[in-house]
């Protein structure tokens, strides 16, 4: 049950190549679980930008001096995030959240690996805390293009049982990709479950590595979204259901968290010929 | 003063004139998380087809200045699922369902309409004729008067007598009044307008079309002036035909613009994506706007902008003569030139 | 790397592809206060008619979301004044004048064209056919293939052989490709597109149309997706016909979008009102964008978005093979589905 | 020769019902004369508002610590002025100016009356100074709906030889309109020339009162403008030329200052049948 809240910026700060923005949005923190996301209006009342921008929720505070707050981490990508990066405390910010299906937690105290790419680590950090609270072992793998695009390394170190870092340019950690180091992590820690968030190519690689090893994994995908609440059908990707049929499902309401082995990775961006309702496909 | 915001579309009454727009509210469930959809004039459903349909590949959308392009390809579960799940859900909540139907042939439309017969909760049928006609080289029905009237006629014939059938027109035509007339002649009880304009965006990084479907439908405030013009032209030509107006409505004043142009009710589409509670806000703003203008009944503003400024008189003789809103009795020289 | 931004329209070379748009730059003098108009590809003049014309009553404009409506009514001093004052002014400064002409009958257009014969400074003639035909109940020429071709034919016949004649198309038609084809068959050397969309705004205070002329032409970034789609469709159907593209261009990347869709040059219209130096800024941004994409000649991007991603190869065999911009050789799965 | 300057807000302050905004816009002050106006971009880079807003220039400083500055006074009217009123020092503001034809000054030291309605007094105050410098007697009449909509009363008192104030609601000065008091002012001071700026209805009344008395007057009109620089033809009104012919002239380049007896006041908003190029009219 998401809320639309006419909130107010509490703070905004640089974190490496990213910005971290905290918005006062009473009611949302109580409902938020790790993996939920927020949809933020951008550009002000006379803006030419109509659509909200989606951001994974990083941290929430149920009640502070100001009422509940929600924090998210973002990269300046285009016009909307450029506008967001110019927000200052006390500016108005209309937010809708929490949205989507969050990560599902294991019932038992199992060994978990978290794999984050770039700002994709943001939703994994509160997840790590929740998992530790359940007694899980939590090994963290963080990757990014360069050192300034790693988010939450210190926090991960503090929460996690172990941490491995990769960067494409080798500016910190091991040079390479998370998928270069993940197999060793999974083996070493006898990982039972994997959670991942990051670019689609990374999620695909992680999902495949997990599938090979029979390790269940949950991934949080990032598809272009017009509404974020399930009414527009722009955010779909091909996902196999429990009945074995592939459907074009909305990543905003049925995701953004999916089981890694259910996503038809090679066909993301297409409509597989055997999808329900595809021309000539099953109905 | 309290304003009577009820409206009547082809004999069917609605408690207020604010509806959702087809394809911008699914079948109501998602928006119901934000407000009671039974409080709207009506819920216009995503266009329903006979069978399940996967829609187009992604990317399916691109944001444009004050608008967006979409190329969904009518993804949906098909009419059976709709009748089993979505329509009962709407009916149970007391929402008035305006069922939008879409097909690839006249027969598809006829079958869809007949399946809706006698179903509780159906307040109205909206015929989305902006679909390619598979029997005519994929020509869009709405772009041809004859094709449009064929579809409308089939739907009207297969729909319960008490249920209004509205044809939804495309603005991508040389003569929208001609198409409107054909639809009405073919039995349409009213007209919904406008559907999206055909548009396109090219991604300057990949240097390829931004949408997988290459072209898409342009919607949002960017197209509002085109929509108001279409409503105006059709109301001018066919003043007795009720119109459900839409295209870029963002505020109560935008909704009022459509009513003044000749619409009896309005649909809120794209703006909902950025502002899920927009329909209730807009109803509120519209009601206040009418109040401020001293208007007691919403019906009285329908088409009001067509009447020459000096001839506007209260419908009942008004002995005092000064509760007529000042704005209605114009007499500025700047307006005297307006052609009629 | 320096980019070759010259462009050729129907045999006539222009130093760069950035032009003004008719009616948005008068005849160049006013913008010359801000930058040298001879530095533009061309100056497209306000449409000239045979005689002086007062235009419509005011209000003549309304701002709309990311756009505006105008209803000027082709106010101007007539062709004689233009030939005596404006054209010589442009010629003296070395600016390339694209003379836009407008009339109420085929004869008007023929006369206008013949008056331009042999005049120094005329680089091209743009035929504004979005005018009411006084001989056919005020039907707009551009909305009918036959009427359009009659005008274009008359202008082509009365224009010097070396001067390209471009027909300017209206988007307010069911089949823009059909109109384009008729114009080309009638002798148009190229096409300008698009003119404004017919739109309307109602003033919710006066509850009357905001423009004295009731309807007006919608322009600005709001209509850009429609314009890009029109250019795309016509270039797809008539790849050999040069296009002067326009409609809501605000940045160099917007201009690039039109080139990729198939335009060989672009006109900057409404955006100049808010940003008088926009044309030079846009040329600059466009040049930089081409540079960043490793493109050496502007001509190479014209229509590039139509070509399937994998088949793009440098025109000359490239022994090294890696100065091809990465963006051109696409190979993401997301794009593989694009229908051609 | 106007300039387009990417300026910066130096200050913004409330003045009664208005806001006064000073923008750093080097180059413009040197070119400005009383009666010139400024066209201001509104809404920021991703705004849905494309058109500039026009404001009479109130005060200019050739060079201060920050380079030249330009000040204008505005009422919040719609979306664009609402945005302007939320500007703060250091915000960017793109301005074009000086635009239009300024007031023409009398060569001799004559008796002048200035008539301002609402914020219309803003361009009259620098004009008053210029006239006093030429040795003119300057009598000022200011009118507005209410006291808070009078602008520059104290300044006018300081510069002017006399001042009369009217308000529609009588909240200060004499209850009524400027045209109620103007005849007496003209008579008492043997006025030679009148300058007026304010709402069109006021300008019409002033122009007629002057015409009756054979007093030349200059008025600064306010027509809706899309470009402000003469290229769009939206801002026209019917004006009689020196050849006796009426033309639809652009108020942004041939105005905003016109001779009061040249404007066809009763036909503003129409195209008079005898205008050059009118259907059936002269060519
Ligand atoms: C569920 C989800 C969670 C996300 N979490 C984060 C996060 O925590 N931090 C972060 O920096 N970014 C996140 N993103 C991506 C973020 O939404 C985009 O970077 C942002 O929308 C870009 O907006 P823009 O105006 O800067 O770009 P523009 O290119 O101007 O945007 C134009 C339109 O495209 C959409 N769009 C563009 N890029 C993306 C994208 N990558 N994903 C989805 N929509 C896009 C925009 O929403 C907008 O509607 C997330 C996206 C999704 C779907
Ligand atoms: C030469 C000139 C000088 C002016 N000087 C001043 C001044 O010193 N102080 C001041 O407060 N106002 C002045 N105005 C009026 C001012 O330009 C408008 O109030 C302002 O444009 C309204 O913009 P908005 O976005 O708030 O209104 P909106 O209604 O949202 O504007 C929509 C469009 O209509 C135009 N418009 C609306 N009202 C007017 C109007 N009254 N005049 C011209 N265009 C209008 C806007 O420019 C815009 O393009 C002047 C106008 C002109 C032409
Ligand atoms: C994402 C999206 C999907 C749409 N799907 C449909 C549809 O299924 N059937 C239909 O008749 N119109 C559809 N439309 C058109 C809208 O109902 C509406 O006519 C149009 O968007 C103009 O209104 P707006 O500007 O308020 O959105 C869709 C529009 C959008 C943006
Ligand atoms: C105020 C105004 C006047 C115009 N006058 C003409 C004209 O005289 N002749 C013409 O062919 N097009 C005219 N146009 C259309 C433009 O040339 C252009 O085709 C259209 O505005 C789309 O481009 P834009 O969005 O960049 O403005 C006019 C447009 C505007 C806004
Ligand atoms: S973003 Fe609209 S349905 Fe998912
Ligand atoms: S405002 Fe454009 S010509 Fe005057």
């Amino acid at each position: 049950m998401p809320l639309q809240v006419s909130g107010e910026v509490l703070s905004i700060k640089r974190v490496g190549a990213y910005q971290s923005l905290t918005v006062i949005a009473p009611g949302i923190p109580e409902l938020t679980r790790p993996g939920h996301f927020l949809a933020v209006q951008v550009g002000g009342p006379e803006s030419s930008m109509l659509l909200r921008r989606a951001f994974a929720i990083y941290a929430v505070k149920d009640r502070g001096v100001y009422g509940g707050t929600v924090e998210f981490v973002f990269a300046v990508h285009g016009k909307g995030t450029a506008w967001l990066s110019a927000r200052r405390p006390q500016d108005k910010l209309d937010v809708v959240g929490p949205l989507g299906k969050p990560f599902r937690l294991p019932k038992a105290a199992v060994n978990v690996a978290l794999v984050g790419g770039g700002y994709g680590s943001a939703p994994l950090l509160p997840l790590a805390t929740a998992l530790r609270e359940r007694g899980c072992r939590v090994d963290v793998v963080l990757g990014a293009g360069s050192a300034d695009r790693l988010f939450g390394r210190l926090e991960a170190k503090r929460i996690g049982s172990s941490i491995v870092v990769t960067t494409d340019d080798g500016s910190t950690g091991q040079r390479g990709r998370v998928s270069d180091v993940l197999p060793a992590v999974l083996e070493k820690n006898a990982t039972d479950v994997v959670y991942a968030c990051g670019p689609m190519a990374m999620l695909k690689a992680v999902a495949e590595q997990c599938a090979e090893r029979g390790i269940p994994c949950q991934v949080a995908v990032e598809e272009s979204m017009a509404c974020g609440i399930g009414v527009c059908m722009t955010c779909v990707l091909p996902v196999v259901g429990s009945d074995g049929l592939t459907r074009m499902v909305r990543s905003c309401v049925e995701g953004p968290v999916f089981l890694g082995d259910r996503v038809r990775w090679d066909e993301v961006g297409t409509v597989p010929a055997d999808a329900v309702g595809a021309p000539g496909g099953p109905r | 003063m309290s304003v009577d915001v009820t409206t009547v579309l082809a004999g069917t009454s609605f408690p207020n004139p604010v509806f959702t727009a087809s394809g911008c509210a699914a079948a109501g469930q998602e928006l119901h998380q934000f407000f009671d959809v039974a409080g709207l004039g009506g819920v216009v459903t995503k266009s329903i087809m006979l069978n399940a349909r996967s829609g187009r590949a992604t990317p399916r959308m691109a944001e444009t200045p004050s608008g967006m392009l979409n190329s969904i390809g009518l993804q949906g579960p098909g009419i059976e699922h709709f009748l089993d799940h979505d329509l009962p859900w709407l009916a149970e909540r007391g929402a008035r369902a305006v069922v939008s139907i879409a097909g690839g042939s006249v027969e598809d439309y006829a079958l869809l309409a007949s399946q809706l017969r006698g179903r509780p909760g159906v307040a109205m049928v909206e015929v989305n004729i902006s679909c390619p006609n598979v029997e005519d080289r994929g020509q869009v029905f709405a772009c041809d008067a004859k094709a449009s009237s064929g579809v409308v006629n089939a739907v009207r014939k297969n729909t319960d007598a008490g249920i209004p059938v509205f044809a939804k027109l495309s603005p991508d035509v040389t003569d929208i009044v001609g198409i409107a007339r054909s639809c009405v002649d073919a039995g349409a009880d009213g007209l919904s307008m406008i559907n999206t304009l055909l548009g396109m965006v090219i991604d300057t990084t990949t240097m390829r079309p931004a949408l997988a479907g290459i072209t898409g439908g342009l919607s949002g405030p960017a197209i509002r002036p085109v929509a108001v013009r279409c409503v105006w032209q059709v109301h001018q030509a066919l003043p007795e035909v009720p119109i459900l107006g839409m295209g870029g409505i963002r505020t109560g004043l935008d909704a009022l613009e459509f009513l003044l142009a000749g619409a009896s009710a309005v649909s809120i589409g794209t703006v909902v994506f950025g502002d899920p509670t927009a329909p209730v806000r807009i109803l509120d703003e519209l009601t206040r706007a009418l109040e401020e203008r001293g208007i007691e009944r919403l019906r009285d503003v329908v088409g009001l902008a067509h009447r020459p400024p000096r001839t506007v008189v209260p419908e009942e003789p008004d002995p005092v003569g000064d509760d007529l809103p000042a704005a209605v009795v114009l007499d500025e020289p700047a307006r005297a030139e307006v052609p009629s």
Side-chain angles (χ1 to χ4, degrees), chain A, chain B:
Chain A
M1 187 75 172
L3 303 175
Q4 179 171 359
V5 178
S6 175
E8 192 178 280
V9 176
L10 178 64
S11 66
I12 177 164
K13 57 175 191 275
R14 274 209 151 278
V15 185
Y18 304 122
Q19 306 260 4
S20 161
L21 193 153
T22 305
V23 54
I24 304 169
I28 296 183
E30 295 83 330
L31 302 168
T32 300
R33 303 287 168 268
H36 271 137
F37 71 96
L38 206 62
V40 180
Q41 234 173 32
V42 293
E46 302 305 332
S47 173
S48 65
M49 298 182 280
L50 292 184
L51 304 175
R52 284 174 190 262
R53 272 51 178 170
F55 302 100
I57 294 174
Y58 164 47
V60 295
K61 281 216 185 78
D62 266 27
R63 70 197 77 235
V65 198
Y66 311 95
T69 63
V70 181
E71 184 173 356
F72 59 94
V73 175
F74 66 96
V76 172
H77 169 88
K79 305 168 303 207
T81 46
W83 179 88
L84 261 186
S85 72
R87 291 313 90 202
R88 294 293 165 258
Q90 287 167 49
D91 284 351
K92 294 254 162 268
L93 199 68
D94 190 289
V95 297
V96 171
L99 292 167
K101 290 222 183 346
F103 292 112
R104 273 132 291 175
L105 302 188
K107 292 221 174 77
V110 297
N111 297 340
V112 175
L114 306 184
V115 188
Y119 55 72
S121 48
L124 298 179
L125 296 165
L127 176 66
T129 305
L131 291 165
R132 291 304 297 254
E133 277 165 10
R134 301 193 164 209
C136 294
R137 174 184 172 89
V138 177
D139 300 292
V140 181
V141 181
L142 297 185
S146 51
D148 59 337
R149 306 197 153 260
L150 280 169
F151 178 77
R153 184 184 191 170
L154 287 179
E155 198 181 342
K157 203 170 228 164
R158 192 171 47 71
I159 310 171
S161 317
S162 79
I163 175 165
V164 182
V165 167
T166 67
T167 53
D168 296 352
D169 64 358
S171 53
T172 187
Q174 192 169 324
R175 179 190 298 267
R177 314 229 143 171
V178 292
S179 46
D180 298 338
V181 302
L182 183 60
V185 171
L186 298 180
E187 223 146 286
K188 183 169 163 212
N189 305 304
T191 303
D192 298 302
V193 182
V194 171
Y195 295 85
C197 183
M200 291 298 266
M202 182 201 101
L203 298 183
K204 174 176 188 258
V206 170
E208 283 169 357
Q209 293 179 332
C210 290
E212 279 165 24
R213 290 164 181 77
I215 302 175
C217 91
Q218 291 178 39
V219 298
V221 304
E222 186 179 307
E223 279 287 339
S224 187
M225 294 179 176
C227 78
I229 59 170
V231 295
C232 77
M233 310 299 286
T234 60
C235 60
V236 299
L237 75 178
V239 173
V240 182
S242 47
D243 56 3
L245 289 178
T246 296
R247 290 184 184 77
M248 300 302 292
V249 311
R250 295 167 297 178
S251 61
C252 68
V253 290
E254 299 171 74
V257 175
F258 291 103
L259 296 177
D261 58 353
R262 292 290 180 80
V263 176
R264 301 270 298 259
W265 294 104
D266 289 331
E267 279 123 329
V268 169
T270 74
V271 176
D274 61 350
V276 172
R283 308 217 168 259
Chain B
M1 194 190 68
S2 93
V3 183
D4 172 4
V5 293
T6 57
T7 191
V8 177
L9 294 175
T12 300
S13 282
F14 294 88
N16 69 65
V18 178
F19 292 52
T20 60
S22 180
C24 302
Q29 282 98 320
E30 293 83 359
L31 291 186
H32 199 69
Q33 300 177 298
F34 295 95
F35 60 87
D36 179 6
V37 294
L40 294 176
V43 175
V44 184
T45 68
K46 169 91 192 151
S47 295
I48 317 289
M49 305 195 73
L50 278 179
N51 298 308
R53 202 171 142 116
S54 63
R56 296 224 179 78
T58 54
R60 288 180 172 184
M61 75 101 171
E63 200 183 38
T64 69
S66 297
M68 69 172 279
L69 281 184
N70 86 80
S71 155
I72 309 297
L74 291 172
Q75 177 171 349
I79 183 105
E80 244 173 74
H81 182 276
F82 174 78
L83 294 175
D84 291 348
H85 299 93
D86 300 326
L87 187 58
W89 184 90
L90 286 165
E92 271 162 36
R93 268 147 204 88
R96 287 150 295 281
V98 176
V99 183
S100 171
I101 56 175
S105 67
V106 172
E107 208 198 323
D108 279 5
Y109 285 98
L111 278 170
L112 285 160
S114 60
Q115 295 227 43
L116 291 171
R117 281 199 118 126
R119 300 286 179 161
V122 177
M124 196 161 117
V125 174
E126 185 174 86
V127 196
N128 175 4
I129 53 176
S130 295
C131 298
N133 181 351
V134 294
E135 289 160 359
D136 182 18
R137 298 159 298 127
Q139 281 295 317
V140 172
F141 291 104
C143 290
D144 180 70
K146 220 174 125 229
S148 300
S149 57
V151 170
V152 170
N153 186 258
V155 173
R156 183 60 275 175
K157 274 201 191 127
N158 286 281
T159 301
D160 289 328
I163 305 292
V165 169
F166 272 48
K168 182 159 175 187
L169 306 188
S170 161
D172 290 329
V173 295
T174 311
D175 175 20
I176 197 162
V177 170
I179 308 275
R181 219 184 281 277
S182 311
C183 289
V184 171
D185 290 347
D189 303 294
L191 301 164
S192 296
M193 62 179 80
I194 57 174
N195 214 315
T196 53
L197 279 80
L198 194 65
M200 176 168 183
V201 165
I202 294 174
D203 181 326
T204 51
T205 302
T206 64
M207 304 208 270
R208 299 276 310 142
L211 300 180
I214 299 189
T215 57
L218 181 64
S219 62
I223 69 167
R224 194 165 64 231
V226 173
V228 171
R229 181 264 299 177
C230 290
V231 170
W232 171 277
Q233 287 180 323
V234 170
H235 182 73
Q236 178 104 317
L238 306 165
E240 305 306 322
V241 177
I243 294 173
L244 176 58
M246 73 204 72
I249 297 174
R250 193 171 68 85
T251 67
L253 290 181
D254 297 342
L256 178 57
E257 220 185 314
F258 279 81
L259 299 177
L260 291 165
S264 295
V266 295
S267 277
I268 316 300
T270 305
V271 158
V272 168
F273 301 164
D275 191 7
T277 53
V280 282
R281 170 180 55 75
I282 289 169
L283 175 55
D284 211 64
E285 290 168 351
L286 174 61
T287 309
R288 245 181 307 127
L290 294 171
E291 227 166 67
E292 282 162 16
R293 284 159 184 73
I295 289 161
E296 287 169 22
R297 294 181 314 180
L298 180 131
R299 268 164 286 171
D300 295 342
V301 299
V302 173
L304 190 67
H306 290 261
R307 302 193 221 158
R310 282 163 182 287
T311 64
V312 177
V313 288
E315 275 179 45
E316 267 135 49
D318 174 9
V320 185
D322 64 5
D323 73 0
L324 192 65
V328 178
V329 193
L330 271 187
D331 148 318
E332 310 162 6
R335 299 295 172 178
E337 278 285 279
V338 176
S340 61

